[in-house]
Amino acid sequence: MVSHRGLVAWSRIRHVSDQLPRGDANENDVTVHYWAAARAAAGIAEEHVSAVTLAELLTEIHRRHGHRDRFDDVIEFCSVLVGETPVGAKDPADVRLPAGVNVEFLPPFAGG
């Protein structure tokens, strides 16, 4: 007879707890990529953020980097891609972020 006690106990703890144990991926994690001036303003090329909507993501990256010189100004003018889909003028609260998706912040580029 095979016992599944460990799996059942772990599964129950995971569903009851608001916090996942360190090292487990959060099911709402997305990867944020910053390009060119956005990368310079953020001070990093990419990071992981837990967010269900683009509005939640924007709030979180502002919390993390809003103190940096020009971050908010640069992000405001960026084109945003969720996966390969441009967000355009959509309301960020209406843009759902599938778990594991890449969100790209692309500032305007000069030249051709």
Side-chain angles (χ1 to χ4, degrees):
M1 183 168 178
V2 177
S3 172
H4 295 285
R5 281 183 167 162
L7 181 60
V8 171
W10 179 80
S11 192
R12 286 185 181 168
I13 291 170
R14 184 176 174 118
H15 287 96
V16 170
S17 175
D18 289 338
Q19 293 288 329
L20 295 175
R22 210 175 231 340
D24 282 356
N26 187 320
E27 63 188 43
N28 295 328
D29 273 358
V30 298
T31 302
V32 179
H33 295 274
Y34 301 103
W35 298 99
R39 180 180 191 168
I44 56 174
E46 79 175 42
E47 65 184 322
H48 296 278
V49 175
S50 180
V52 175
T53 66
L54 183 57
E56 289 177 10
L57 184 138
L58 290 169
T59 297
E60 179 58 19
I61 65 173
H62 169 75
R63 185 190 68 75
R64 293 181 185 188
H65 308 293
H67 67 282
R68 295 184 57 88
D69 187 39
R70 298 181 341 107
F71 179 79
D72 290 330
D73 292 335
V74 171
I75 293 301
E76 181 180 335
F77 289 102
C78 283
S79 294
V80 180
L81 298 175
V82 174
E84 296 181 7
T85 305
V87 171
K90 295 177 188 165
D91 182 346
D94 294 335
V95 178
R96 307 277 307 163
L97 303 177
V101 75
N102 289 323
V103 178
E104 315 278 341
F105 286 89
L106 303 160
F109 290 92

